[in-house]
Amino acid sequence: MATPHNNARMGDIAKTVLMPGDPLRVEYIAKNYMEDAVCFNKVRGMLGYTGTYKGRKISVMGSGMGMPSMGIYSYELYKMYDVDNIIRVGSAGAFKDDINLKDIVIAQAACTDSNYMSQFKLPGTFAPVGDYNLISTAAGKAEELGLNVRVGNILSTDSFYTYDPLDNDAWKRMGVLCVDMEAAALYANAAALSKKALCMLTISDHLYKSEKLDAGERQEGFNDMIKLALEVAWTQK
């Protein structure tokens, strides 16, 4: 059942997969939050583990950076390995002034400047949205855990470095909360394949306050989001 990017066998991967961008964060989640975690993939260094959380089988696998990479890994999980739910647990840069470092944003929808959507040949502009059940479950679990989360629109961009800072001003004016590089591709693949997706992001830097987390904090400082994602994953059958 191997693909060019994943040497797992059918049955090695759970129906629900947590998907950080960084494969080292995959390893961190598997070793610190899951029981009996077994590595099912090392191809290209994109680690994947399956274990249990509160007795339920759950997997975690990296997506890499950017929509092309997310597009590949999420497509293969949905299409080749019959995964039902993918929950992205990533980082983002904040636009809004009232969002701070380590705040959690649940992406209701994902704007994009990417050409990724062109492959679907739609006669208009597609609005990639998350699964309502997963979003509402995440919001409810966040309230139970006492976490302050924001739910709203985000931007998925192809450019980590932008040559025109006024681009950010335009998205901010439209009420977009923050920016990542993967969510829109995940939401589009889920829609195209009749699957479910959720994107949750921890704010790692702020584009208007010159604040940012270092590499170590990015890798291991997202514990509240990880716990929230696992609680959501646990509710899925």
Side-chain angles (χ1 to χ4, degrees):
M1 190 54 214
T3 75
H5 317 96
N6 193 332
N7 56 15
R9 298 167 299 178
M10 183 58 74
D12 286 349
I13 303 176
K15 289 292 187 180
T16 298
V17 179
L18 270 60
M19 187 162 260
D22 184 354
L24 293 180
R25 199 178 305 145
V26 171
E27 189 172 51
Y28 175 80
I29 293 170
K31 292 184 176 180
N32 289 277
Y33 290 94
M34 300 169 70
E35 296 181 357
D36 304 318
V38 175
C39 183
F40 62 77
N41 188 62
K42 292 183 179 178
V43 177
R44 294 174 177 260
M46 195 58 70
L47 299 177
Y49 286 83
T50 295
T52 60
Y53 177 75
K54 295 185 177 180
R56 179 149 293 169
K57 183 179 178 181
I58 295 170
S59 295
V60 55
M61 184 178 181
S63 71
M65 289 189 291
M67 279 173 273
S69 187
M70 169 59 85
I72 289 170
Y73 288 107
S74 62
Y75 180 90
E76 290 184 351
L77 289 175
Y78 283 141
K79 184 73 173 180
M80 284 75 162
Y81 290 99
D82 199 27
V83 167
D84 291 333
N85 314 290
I86 295 178
I87 302 174
R88 166 161 159 69
V89 281
S91 59
F95 288 142
K96 301 293 285 183
D97 296 332
D98 59 348
I99 297 179
N100 301 304
L101 294 185
K102 294 190 177 182
D103 283 355
I104 298 171
V105 172
I106 297 172
Q108 181 177 356
C111 308
T112 187
D113 58 13
S114 174
N115 196 43
Y116 190 86
M117 301 302 160
S118 66
Q119 66 181 303
F120 301 107
K121 294 180 172 57
L122 297 162
T125 302
F126 180 71
V129 298
D131 177 73
Y132 176 78
N133 176 261
L134 291 175
I135 291 170
S136 61
T137 299
K141 288 291 183 182
E143 186 173 357
E144 290 178 16
L145 294 170
L147 301 177
N148 183 25
V149 302
R150 294 284 294 275
V151 181
N153 207 358
I154 71 163
L155 167 67
S156 294
T157 182
D158 277 341
S159 303
F160 186 86
Y161 299 105
T162 177
Y163 286 94
D164 188 349
L166 295 180
D167 288 351
N168 293 332
D169 293 345
W171 292 112
K172 184 181 180 182
R173 281 197 305 272
M174 294 299 289
V176 175
L177 302 180
C178 62
V179 56
D180 86 331
M181 299 185 70
E182 292 83 23
L186 172 61
Y187 281 5
N189 277 358
L193 297 169
S194 299
K195 300 288 188 172
K196 297 180 180 180
L198 169 66
C199 174
M200 296 195 295
L201 304 165
T202 295
I203 300 302
S204 59
D205 56 283
H206 202 294
L207 281 71
Y208 291 87
K209 296 181 183 179
S210 299
E211 300 173 346
K212 63 181 179 179
L213 305 178
D214 62 29
E217 290 174 312
R218 284 172 179 258
Q219 183 179 320
E220 300 183 0
F222 296 169
N223 293 317
D224 286 344
M225 175 178 62
I226 292 167
K227 292 175 186 175
L228 177 57
L230 286 166
E231 287 295 317
V232 176
W234 184 84
T235 67
Q236 305 304 302
K237 296 182 180 179

